[in-house]
Amino acid sequence: MMKPTVNAKDVAKLAGVSQSSVSRVFFDGAKVTEKTRQKVLAAAKELGYRPNEYARSLITNSSKIIGLVMKGVQNPFYPQVLKQFTTSFKKHGYSVLFVHTNNDEIQSDDIDTLLNYNVAGVIITDASMSMNVAEAFQANRIPLVFFNRKLTSSQFHSVCCNNLNASRKIAEYLAALETGEMVYISGNEDTSTSREREQGFAEVLKQRGIAYKKYTSDFSYNGGYETAQKILSAGKIPSAVFAANDIMALGVMDAFRKQGVQIPEQVKVIGFDNIDMASWPAYELTTWEQPIEKMVDETVNYLLSEISEYTGRARAVEVEGSFVERKTT
Amino acid sequence: MMKPTVNAKDVAKLAGVSQSSVSRVFFDGAKVTEKTRQKVLAAAKELGYRPNEYARSLITNSSKIIGLVMKGVQNPFYPQVLKQFTTSFKKHGYSVLFVHTNNDEIQSDDIDTLLNYNVAGVIITDASMSMNVAEAFQANRIPLVFFNRKLTSSQFHSVCCNNLNASRKIAEYLAALETGEMVYISGNEDTSTSREREQGFAEVLKQRGIAYKKYTSDFSYNGGYETAQKILSAGKIPSAVFAANDIMALGVMDAFRKQGVQIPEQVKVIGFDNIDMASWPAYELTTWEQPIEKMVDETVNYLLSEISEYTGRARAVEVEGSFVERKTT
DNA sequence: CTGAAAGCGCTTACAG
DNA sequence: CTGAAAGCGCTTACAG
């Protein structure tokens, strides 16, 4: 038994017009007289007609699908991002194909999926991608943006928070409060995000003659927790800890507290992102707010404009965020 | 300038075979001699050919896309679910179209999207859906499963944790510890999940002659937090609080602690889900673990079997979870 | 503005 | 097993 598919021809017959006219009624930008439109719409409604998206994509050689690649759904920052992208693209008539990579680097079967569906655009959030793979998208003239990540090569578009400026501000704030040795906890070292946040922080501390020690972690709660234990077992409690994201900062706080270390009296803690939990009474974490909405808007606008007219122009867009002072400093 | 699309015909020409043969090489289940296969594969590789998914879907009147509808991405339980579904479906050659609804009820434009893409199957997680909309999927013979929700009507398939059994066990556990009045904090009242969890809890408490009071909330952290404040301002601290999910339980804990109420000494707290945070040292929440993996497997298997042969058979699948005792009881 | 017709890139009976 | 051909449901020049 087949699904009873009703097509444009059926509607045309019932409406007493040509199949072309039916098509025009449902195709944005095509012209039909109001009278034809009404006849077609009535017939379509009666039959329960809906245009076949696959036939459309086939003939136009384009799709209304955006590929969104994500890895760290465990970090509450990203579900938030996913939600905003989906909502925003829906308004523009695009749907989101969700691709999850377990690995740091996006795998070739995921790329195949994206390419097979001829996605209108691709967003890579916290996964990375080898150069030649990114080039595969360029070769197919599929616009691509790295979200919250930046590649060293300038030939790819990226949208990030101004990490350098943010981490400078954080360092200045901390330097005004404390002058003892501090700690920076990095996320995965191969991410621009982690590197830039360290860079701005280091710059200012150097100016002020304040030393800091770096611990390498992985942007996860457990990573933060374990790093805090290492810090403590190293003997001296630092005057402040700047973690490259909030979820690590929460781990740090929990580990410190477990050892009876007072925050902020003995050590100040600052995160980055301003995820929901940062404002929870159990944490009240001082942090830097990433302006997700602005970042999403920038990304969507770029993608939309590249979809309507492909230029391949790429640049590193940076959006300012804002400092959120709470009770851990 | 057009995208340089290479199609099966191009490959056929280079390989010296017919376009049909090229198609057969890339279509699972079709037969070709090994010699032909090699020639085609070589040519395809040289040209960078990949089958057009839209032409495929058009001709087969089917797709390799699963629609996943979700609302509460703010609750860490759901990103986890999303991740597992994506991973599992990928193994079976399906991609996930992510649909986010802000509203409790899934909106008609989302349904249109799903229908236009002729999705192979649909999963509704925490959103609800009016009966006639669900019927639209049935009319199109698109298998549908409600995940972690159950409709009163038995004509739809659902996969849930055995909430009744779980909440009975929770009540028994609590009754063995305390006999004073308890509290149940519901999620959104129109969800089966919340109702069933109350039912099992109420049943057992009644048997044991223990009273409980119900507060209505919304499955969110803030909801739990505010409810705890209400509980406290009502005067008497209950012997135990059972929150319909973990994220509310965390809110409850934070509100209690803020008022200096000791957990578990003055009041015991139990959640439901076993999200990552429940195990964090700041909480160590006693809870019921929902077996996400098993629930996802059940859902995927059902969908896959209905996709390969549609029966329309529906039943309410229930999966057992397990009690996780930590330090809040 | 409207209709007849070509064609997007595939799958799949049908012959051979 | 393989090839020629029909056809999936659309969009879009091209005439009228």
Side-chain angles (χ1 to χ4, degrees), chain A residues 68-70 77-78 80-82 84-85 122-127 144-150 157-161 192-193 290-300:
Chain A
L68 179 58
V69 182
M70 197 165 271
F77 178 74
Y78 287 105
Q80 200 64 32
V81 165
L82 169 62
Q84 304 245 17
F85 269 124
V122 176
I123 301 164
I124 314 277
T125 62
D126 56 344
L144 170 68
V145 6
F146 287 89
F147 183 91
N148 205 27
R149 290 288 184 276
K150 194 185 289 179
H157 198 80
S158 65
V159 174
C160 290
C161 178
S192 61
T193 316
Q290 292 221 65
I292 297 189
E293 214 176 305
K294 262 193 276 176
M295 290 168 70
V296 166
D297 284 350
E298 283 287 347
T299 306
V300 171

Side-chain angles (χ1 to χ4, degrees), chain B residues 181-185 198 201 205 211-215 231 234:
Chain B
E181 183 173 290
M182 300 184 181
V183 160
Y184 173 71
I185 304 182
E198 178 178 7
F201 186 69
L205 290 195
Y212 83 96
K213 208 166 156 178
K214 174 166 67 173
Y215 286 81
I231 293 173

Side-chain angles (χ1 to χ4, degrees), chain B residues 19 23-24 49 56 59:
Chain B
Q19 188 263 12
S23 174
R24 288 186 181 106
Y49 169 73
R56 259 188 183 172
I59 195 79

Side-chain angles (χ1 to χ4, degrees), chain A residues 16-31:
Chain A
V17 299
S18 74
Q19 190 263 12
S20 313
S21 289
V22 175
S23 174
R24 288 185 181 108
V25 169
F26 287 94
F27 188 74
D28 284 346
K31 291 171 206 313

Side-chain angles (χ1 to χ4, degrees), chain A residues 186-204:
Chain A
S186 82
N188 309 52
E189 288 268 32
D190 59 342
T191 62
S192 61
T193 316
S194 184
R195 276 182 274 114
E196 289 182 345
R197 288 172 195 170
E198 178 176 8
Q199 193 186 326
F201 186 69
E203 246 177 39
V204 171

